[in-house]
Amino acid sequence: MANMFEKYAADREAEQRKIEKTVAAPAAADDEKRTTLSLSLTVSDKKALKMMAAERETTIAAIIHEWVQEHIRKD
């Protein structure tokens, strides 16, 4: 049973390091003031965004920011 707990602890520690890396990473626009936005999405869209963020080791907000920046440049 100790092995099960050791594996869980190791997995949790790796996950925590990944979270800390993401949170501690400086954003491109750190000096820009942030605001809160309420957004209504389908459940599947939210899951897809969460998966994208996890795969990229970033946040949903960062993905949306990137999308906005790409579309501003096109106009």
Side-chain angles (χ1 to χ4, degrees), residues 12-58:
R12 179 66 183 111
E13 188 174 325
E15 182 181 346
Q16 184 64 33
R17 279 194 302 271
K18 192 175 182 182
I19 292 168
E20 288 172 0
K21 178 183 166 190
T22 301
V23 171
D30 267 349
D31 53 345
E32 189 173 347
K33 187 176 179 192
R34 293 188 167 268
T35 187
T36 302
L37 170 70
S38 294
L39 181 64
S40 179
L41 298 172
T42 63
V43 173
S44 60
D45 286 348
K46 181 180 176 185
K47 285 180 183 179
L49 278 169
K50 287 178 88 171
M51 291 299 294
M52 284 175 62
E55 288 169 2
R56 296 181 187 184
E57 296 183 1
T58 190

